[in-house]
Amino acid sequence: MTSVALTVNGSRCEADVEPRQLLVYFLRDRLGLKGTNVGCDTTSCGACTVLVDDESVKSCTVFAVQADGSEVTTVEGLARGDALHPVQQAFHEQHALQCGYCTPGFVLATVSLLKENPNPSETEIREGLEGNLCRCTGYHNIVKAVQAAARAGA
Amino acid sequence: MIPAVFEYERAGFVDEAVELLGRDEEAKLLAGGHSLIPAMRLRFSRPSLLVDIGRLDDLRYVREHGDRIAIGALTRHADLVGDAMLREHCALIGEAAALIGDPQVRHRGTIGGSVAHGDPASDLGTILLTLDAEFVARGPGGERAIGAGAFFTGPFETALEHQEVLTEIRVPKTAGTYLKHVRRAHDWATVGAAAARVDGRVHVGLTSMGPTSLRARTVEDALADGATPADAAAHVAEDAMPPTDASASSEYRLHLAQVLVRRALERM
Ligand SMILES: Cc1cc2nc3c(=O)[nH]c(=O)nc-3n(C[C@H](O)[C@H](O)[C@H](O)COP(=O)(O)OP(=O)(O)OC[C@H]3O[C@@H](n4cnc5c(N)ncnc54)[C@H](O)[C@@H]3O)c2cc1C
Ligand code: FES
Ligand code: FES
């Protein structure tokens, strides 16, 4: 066991973890944050995307011990009380989801993208989200949601 | 898929990593983890000790080193993409880093891990070979420099010794180009082709066309003798041993490589 101390969605958390525990399972099984999904478990689909120190990462490909000392943000940490984060709001309004399985990953990938590039072109949005797969929407409304979020200054 | 059990240590500086590696023959360094963790999840790789160097931020830099550019081994792909010094002096590296995987992969993966893994599909591996980069490694006996020509020794094998940490990569200031053919967004290269001007000659490198990143030396010789890009590119078959796998047949790879090499040379 290895001790880790990290901040998850603004709350400090300390735990002893097996070094082989992947961050996604630490978040889901230890902290009960089930918003982060596992889609492929092979670093392909992006469903498990979270922010580590404000950058998008696939949490199925990071050990929890590697996040020691970091700030982690999951989809549960985006809203402020009842007010959705602007990216969540845009996904809602643009109907950028159907089954919703990929959505937490897309939302966090979008937060990271807009931080690096607040005004992306359509091509930059599509390329910026190439690490996330959606089996339902055909991506069209996801792109519209990212554009709306960018306009809203997310 | 859960990796096999291992011990974990985080190194605070390079010599501590060297020392930790010395404790266990089955130890491995962990940098960004984006080649190693997928391999461990599939249990292709089962190190008994992981020595985490991912926090060695003093190995995360791009700076001038005499007439060359020095890149710290822990520099992330995303750092390379935006780096102003590279854009000015060796733009090829940032342009190619932008083609690696997807943003999440680029936030974690490092240039050092990309080459130390010895993957014949590594884009940066091919580019550094083409640029005739110099690899600086630190081990128990101190530091040594390894030329790119001697670095890639086989599939998933390099000249690095068990206890050596790759610390820095030095490249010439020069112009070049890298073309990568992928089947889908965020895929690895089906084939990649690099061309760069080094010491007055045009060097040509290939990704996924053999057991390691390769130099297309017959193509280079033809160019030096005045061949056109198309005529020079026709020699690719003499330089490559393209594999057949799920993404392409050997014949198709050869065809792609000839087209990409010609296009890369036309841009030089
Ligand atoms: C979905 C996905 C898509 C990808 N697509 C591409 C792509 O298109 N093109 C491409 O080139 N790559 C691609 N990659 C690989 C990615 O670039 C990896 O980040 C990179 O190959 C390894 O770097 P790392 O820092 O993650 O190394 P790690 O995974 O941490 O380590 C890899 C190996 O190198 C060793 N090592 C690491 N650092 C050092 C060092 N400083 N000294 C000595 N040994 C060291 C480790 O012990 C290990 O054996 C992809 C990866 C994923 C998961
Ligand atoms: S579950 Fe992590 S990328 Fe698919
Ligand atoms: S909404 Fe169903 S996978 Fe994207």
Side-chain angles (χ1 to χ4, degrees):
Chain A
M1 290 287 177
T2 302
S3 307
V4 293
L6 57 165
T7 306
V8 179
N9 298 333
S11 305
R12 181 132 180 103
C13 108
E14 288 177 27
D16 288 330
V17 296
E18 245 197 304
R20 64 175 170 163
Q21 181 156 54
L22 295 161
L23 180 60
V24 69
Y25 295 113
F26 177 75
L27 295 169
R28 287 178 59 87
D29 300 342
R30 285 293 284 271
L31 303 185
L33 296 169
K34 303 270 169 117
T36 307
N37 290 330
V38 177
C40 65
D41 212 7
T42 58
T43 331
S44 305
C45 73
C48 65
T49 300
V50 301
L51 305 183
V52 174
D53 296 327
D54 286 334
E55 287 180 333
S56 59
V57 306
K58 293 177 174 177
S59 60
C60 73
T61 313
V62 177
F63 292 120
V65 287
Q66 291 177 283
D68 182 36
S70 297
E71 281 189 35
V72 177
T73 306
T74 70
V75 71
E76 289 92 341
L78 288 178
R80 290 287 161 264
D82 287 339
L84 291 179
H85 184 280
V87 174
Q88 291 175 303
Q89 188 66 34
F91 270 64
H92 173 66
E93 284 169 7
Q94 301 299 322
H95 193 57
L97 57 140
Q98 290 178 25
C99 78
Y101 199 81
C102 68
T103 311
F106 265 101
V107 166
L108 288 155
T110 300
V111 172
S112 183
L113 168 67
L114 292 180
K115 181 164 180 281
E116 287 167 19
N117 182 358
N119 244 316
S121 65
E122 183 184 334
T123 307
E124 286 168 342
I125 292 170
R126 289 184 183 274
E127 287 179 352
L129 297 178
E130 69 183 328
N132 294 72
L133 300 178
C134 175
R135 301 280 82 175
C136 304
T137 64
Y139 303 101
H140 188 71
N141 286 358
I142 293 178
V143 174
K144 284 205 305 196
V146 179
Q147 287 167 328
R151 277 195 302 276
Chain B
M1 290 171 291
I2 309 296
V5 172
F6 58 86
E7 304 272 317
Y8 173 86
E9 296 283 352
R10 186 183 303 147
F13 43 95
V14 175
D15 288 333
E16 188 183 359
V18 172
E19 196 265 317
L20 286 165
L21 286 172
R23 285 192 200 168
D24 186 337
E25 274 175 29
E26 299 296 319
K28 261 189 183 298
L29 293 170
L30 175 68
H34 270 52
S35 287
L36 188 53
I37 296 174
M40 287 173 65
R41 263 188 329 214
L42 295 168
R43 305 214 176 180
F44 291 152
S45 177
R46 305 178 67 136
S48 48
L49 168 67
L50 279 192
V51 177
D52 189 355
I53 52 171
R55 299 289 177 87
L56 296 185
D57 279 344
D58 49 346
L59 292 185
R60 195 172 169 187
Y61 57 80
V62 178
R63 60 187 178 221
E64 265 181 315
H65 180 92
D67 59 353
R68 310 194 118 209
I69 301 290
I71 306 171
L74 267 292
T75 310
R76 308 266 165 104
H77 304 328
D79 302 331
L80 301 171
V81 174
D83 190 83
M85 171 106 43
L86 283 178
R87 199 171 309 129
E88 190 179 340
H89 294 299
C90 200
L92 163 71
I93 292 181
E95 286 162 15
L99 303 176
I100 295 176
D102 53 50
Q104 290 96 320
V105 171
R106 297 194 290 270
H107 285 147
R108 300 294 299 181
T110 67
I111 188 169
S114 255
V115 291
H117 196 55
D119 192 329
S122 164
D123 298 307
L124 291 173
T126 298
I127 283 161
L128 296 173
L129 178 69
T130 307
L131 289 170
D132 223 348
E134 192 175 48
F135 297 89
V136 182
R138 192 131 100 225
E143 203 164 86
R144 67 176 176 133
I146 307 165
F151 188 80
F152 299 99
T153 51
F156 304 99
E157 270 178 31
T158 69
L160 292 171
E161 305 280 352
H162 171 67
Q163 253 184 291
E164 277 182 324
V165 180
L166 177 63
T167 55
E168 185 173 278
I169 296 159
R170 296 177 190 148
V171 295
K173 295 179 182 172
T174 189
T177 188
Y178 184 65
L179 299 176
K180 173 176 178 178
H181 183 89
V182 291
R183 289 168 73 225
R184 300 163 305 192
H186 98 147
D187 262 353
W188 294 79
T190 307
V191 173
R197 211 171 288 283
V198 183
D199 296 333
R201 256 175 85 97
V202 174
H203 287 189
V204 177
L206 298 168
T207 307
S208 291
M209 286 295 287
T212 63
S213 288
L214 297 175
R215 280 276 294 281
R217 294 192 186 265
T218 319
V219 175
E220 293 176 11
D221 290 343
L223 276 174
D225 289 341
T228 62
D231 288 342
H235 289 283
V236 161
E238 294 157 57
D239 293 315
M241 289 162 274
T244 292
D245 59 24
S247 55
S249 66
S250 173
E251 295 76 24
Y252 180 53
R253 279 206 160 86
L254 199 53
H255 168 74
L256 282 177
Q258 283 171 355
V259 173
L260 295 181
V261 166
R262 172 177 55 74
R263 286 185 190 159
L265 293 175
E266 282 166 357
R267 289 189 188 186
M268 289 301 294

